[in-house]
Amino acid sequence: MELLHHIKSIRKALKKARQEGKTIGFVPTMGNLHNAHLALVTQAQALCDVVVVSIFVNRMQFGLNEDWDKYPRTLEQDSQKLRGVGCDYLFCPEESEVYPNGMDAQTRVIVPSMAKVLCGASRPGHFEGVTTVVSKLFNIVQPDIAVFGIKDYQQLAIIRRMVEDLCMPVELVAGEIVREADGLAMSSRNGFITADERPRANQLNRSLNWIKSKIESGERDFLRLEAEAKAQMSEAGFRADYVSVCNGKTLEPAAADDLNLCVLGAMYTQSARLIDNVSLTLGEA
Ligand code: PAF
């Protein structure tokens, strides 16, 4: 695997691969890689000849009171893991190269629909930071395929919309959620969960699955289910940020006759904000 820090060098390497007729798969990350990231790399490898992973902890998508400064930077371990799965290129640019004119002056990409609800409501500006950096990374790498984990369901829905709206020539592929044995979705932020909280930290997943089973057995009072799920999290010692039964495509609150649904939630532990989702298809969707 080649580790490259500069836009010029990754472009040069990929130009050669493209001239040889190779297809390029891309997995953008912020590092601190775990098995769910590695599964995305394996998925990209099955679809493309050459796979690029990027690691860039994008300050633009963190709010002022968020954890940008304590977000784990583990380049050495990440490189080893990527070598282990046979990744071809690891691209780790400096902030000064990604935002050469500073972040305030940076041209931004905004997807107005979907960006201000759910996670966007409690993290103002977050998705603007995501879509701006992802579009820059797409321009740098110019991948044929990009793989994103579906744990960040809203992120993927927004990126899909950006790609569609801006006619970006990239195919998006969703990677399944990888879970710990007790159902907790793997996340770089799980390291912030305390030992005391850890046995209960799967409550978010348990509550979302509880809603799913209620809907599957005919319940349609989504507001009641959402309120009950939040109460379950509170009983387990956590604060729910939101729980929402949504239309799986638009992310608008689900209508009683919607067939493709996604139940999304976010929950605060003492030092982490966890997100998760479960999808369900009703009837003949
Ligand atoms: O999901 C992430 O790790 C980040 O939001 C992404 C897509 C790499 C953009 O910084």
Side-chain angles (χ1 to χ4, degrees), residues 28-30 56 58 61 130 133-134 148 152 155 159:
T29 80
M30 297 202 299
F56 178 64
N58 176 35
Q61 69 189 71
V130 170
V133 82
V134 169
F148 291 86
D152 297 287
Q155 168 172 282
I159 293 171

Side-chain angles (χ1 to χ4, degrees), residues 149-183:
I150 209 165
K151 180 176 79 68
D152 297 287
Y153 192 95
Q154 185 177 10
Q155 168 172 282
L156 179 55
I158 288 173
I159 293 171
R160 274 197 198 291
R161 187 59 192 265
M162 172 184 84
V163 164
E164 186 184 332
D165 284 355
L166 296 181
C167 309
M168 292 179 165
V170 56
E171 183 188 332
L172 298 178
V173 174
E176 284 311 310
I177 300 179
V178 182
R179 297 184 181 280
E180 303 290 353
D182 68 350

